[in-house]
Amino acid sequence: MTARLATVATMIAAIVVLYVAKELLLPLAIAVLLTFALAPIVSFLRKMKLPRLAAVIGAVACAFAVISIFSLIVAAQVSQVAQDIPKYQSNIVEKIRILKETGSEDGVISRLGRVFERVNTEINESASSATPANPQLHGEQRPLLVQIFSPQRPIETLRNIIEPLVGPLATTGLVIVIVIFMLLEREELRDRFIRLVGYSDLHRTTQALQDAGSRVGKYLLMQLVVNITYGVPLAAGLWLLGIPNALLWGMLAIVFRFVPYIGPVIAAVIPLFLAFAVAPDWSLLIWTAGLFILLELLSNNVVEPWLYGSRTGLSPLAIIVAAVFWAWLWGPIGLVLSTPLTVCLVVLGRHVPQFEFLQILLGDEPVLDPHERLYQRLLADDLDEATDNAEQMLEEKYLIEYHGAVSIPALLLGEQDRARGALTKSQLADLAENAREVVANLNEIAAEEEDEDAQDREDDDKTGGRADERKEDEFDIDLPDGSGKSVLCIGGHSELDDVAAVILAQVISVEGAECEAVGHRDLVAARMRSLPLEGRNSIVIGFLSPDSLKYSRFAVRRLRRLAPHARIGLVLWTSPGSERPFDQNQLAERLEADFIAFSLADCVVGALSDDKPRDVKPKKQRSIRRSRPANLAGKKATTAAEV
């Protein structure tokens, strides 16, 4: 608890420092991000045998030359737009008049206009009544507005022009100097940073630096490419449509798209307004809106997935929250820098345990493993999402993979909660029913896999190939053909064992075998004779808890007598990668089972095996010598066998 409070206090102090020292830290942040962006270019120039100083100066000079030219063009275009705006006043007034005339006398626009007029009248009357009367103003006399103009000296005029430019020019020069020195001493700065914060763990610190540099550099470069592929067609399209200053809007779109989500909207506002103002009709506005929508769809669904070799590592919600936070902290520039700065925070959370919560809150990677997510959805009765997640994973995995890596481990979590008393009987019943329903929702996928396997076997029979070759490669195990075989799966000791039996039956049926699942309540002596044992090749009893194995010996013996021609196996479900709690051969010998399995694939192999059941010889009965009664001393004692 103390460590968490210390972390929270550190974060609050950091935010305060970032806000107070904005004037100092903002140029430094810009310089660091530009260093990340220019580092690959410098490395490329170094590979071309250029000296370090020449490579750095060349990269920085080219970058800031492009930025300067870009800024000058934008400034010139903005000035021209300001001069041309009055030309469009008549079109704007005409379209507003048309909008007002479109509605009837009692239309929405007319009603809103009358409401605003009444409110304005009431406000004016209230203000006039609250103003004290002045007898000098009751006549024709009215106050005159007087503006005093004083001529400025040339030096003052020059100072008024230069002073607003000093701050931006000084900041730009400072950024250029910092970028140059950071690129020149990049390796030295890296070594100093490692010595300062991560000397005890060189591997983790080096990995964090490489991760941050790679993510930020790739993001800035790829985002720039994406924005250019968006801005250039936009400028060309606006020019063809006749929108004034099309070059300006294309260039501004390149900049605004660095702002997540709201940037494209901001970039579209003024061109749409100009389309509204320039043309006397509405067609230009419709075509301009269509152009923006088309480019957004192409950029988001074609260009970005193609160019982004790696993601930023941020969730969509984290990008929005980060944009709001950095805009509040550092203004418009913080809004542009929000994504790369937040990427650095996520990298920090990924490699520094004290800041792991940043990775959890802002990262795009799932914070729960698939089996944990499934178990949580089952507890929350969210069967639709549980099924959707399963179907999504089954697009790339086989059913046996999904059940072995997700479904069975999720049931094991439920068994652990049941064993420690965290689940009530009703909660356990609901959990089992939800799990059973999700498995039933996958029956269609199981049928499709069964049809595919049947087709593969037919093709293999025709070509002489090996059956289930893909699955053998996937699992490194040969899954036998279940055609013509019959298997009975039985839950061992609880409702969750029954669900595991249903899962096993579903997987075995995919291999072509006829399979049925029954519950653990059918294992009691009074109901065991009613089990569907006729014609079964194998009978499998499954347990999620090792403690439940003590109930298996009696069940195996009874089933052996009722179905002497069936192989009887036991499966103790374990999570993938976990150690086996028992030796298979010793456990099978002790429990008199034909096979013991710990995983879904091993259980399928054992259930569909062609091996014969084990020959269990009946054990000889022990002779139990009774003690002589006191009144029959000297007589021969009888044995239990003689009785």
Side-chain angles (χ1 to χ4, degrees), residues 137-151:
L137 300 180
H138 285 293
E140 295 296 329
Q141 297 180 358
R142 292 285 187 269
L144 298 177
L145 297 177
V146 179
Q147 293 181 346
I148 301 175
F149 296 93
S150 60

Side-chain angles (χ1 to χ4, degrees), residues 537-608:
N537 299 97
S538 298
I539 302 171
V540 183
I541 309 174
F543 300 92
L544 290 166
S545 173
D547 297 335
S548 301
L549 284 175
K550 59 187 178 183
Y551 303 103
S552 63
R553 177 177 293 182
F554 169 78
V556 170
R557 289 180 179 178
R558 295 277 300 190
L559 291 172
R560 183 80 65 188
R561 290 196 295 268
L562 295 174
H565 300 292
R567 284 170 48 82
I568 300 176
L570 300 174
V571 53
L572 177 61
W573 301 111
T574 57
S575 298
S578 61
E579 296 183 359
R580 295 181 175 181
F582 305 102
D583 181 81
Q584 283 180 294
N585 296 328
Q586 293 180 359
L587 186 61
E589 189 69 28
R590 180 163 61 88
L591 299 179
E592 301 178 3
D594 292 302
F595 65 91
I596 299 291
F598 297 101
S599 67
L600 196 56
D602 290 342
C603 189
V604 172
V605 172
L608 300 180

Side-chain angles (χ1 to χ4, degrees), residues 180-331:
I180 291 175
F181 278 96
M182 280 188 171
L183 289 173
L184 286 174
E185 300 185 7
R186 186 176 49 170
E187 290 79 7
E188 182 68 21
L189 290 174
R190 180 194 59 196
D191 296 342
R192 291 181 181 275
F193 181 80
I194 292 175
R195 184 65 178 87
L196 181 64
V197 302
Y199 186 70
S200 60
D201 194 347
L202 289 175
H203 172 72
R204 175 175 292 180
T205 308
T206 302
Q207 189 175 6
L209 290 174
Q210 291 177 346
D211 194 5
S214 175
R215 284 180 180 271
V216 175
K218 285 184 179 180
Y219 166 75
L220 293 174
L221 180 60
M222 289 298 101
Q223 188 65 51
L224 178 61
V225 174
V226 170
N227 293 357
I228 291 174
T229 58
Y230 178 89
V232 172
L234 176 63
L238 293 177
W239 177 74
L240 292 175
L241 291 175
I243 302 296
N245 306 100
L247 178 62
L248 172 63
W249 314 127
M251 297 175 71
L252 289 180
I254 294 175
V255 176
F256 282 130
R257 279 185 63 85
F258 278 102
V259 179
Y261 296 109
I262 63 173
V265 178
I266 298 174
V269 169
I270 299 182
L272 290 175
F273 173 76
L274 287 176
F276 172 80
V278 170
D281 56 7
W282 300 92
S283 59
L284 183 60
L285 179 62
I286 296 174
W287 280 105
T288 304
L291 175 64
F292 276 99
I293 294 174
L294 176 62
L295 289 177
E296 280 295 325
L297 292 175
L298 290 176
S299 179
N300 295 333
N301 299 290
V302 178
V303 179
E304 288 186 5
W306 176 52
L307 288 178
Y308 279 138
S310 60
R311 298 171 297 176
T312 60
L314 302 179
S315 66
L317 179 61
I319 293 176
I320 297 175
V321 173
V324 174
F325 172 78
W326 289 106
W328 165 77
L329 200 64
W330 285 350

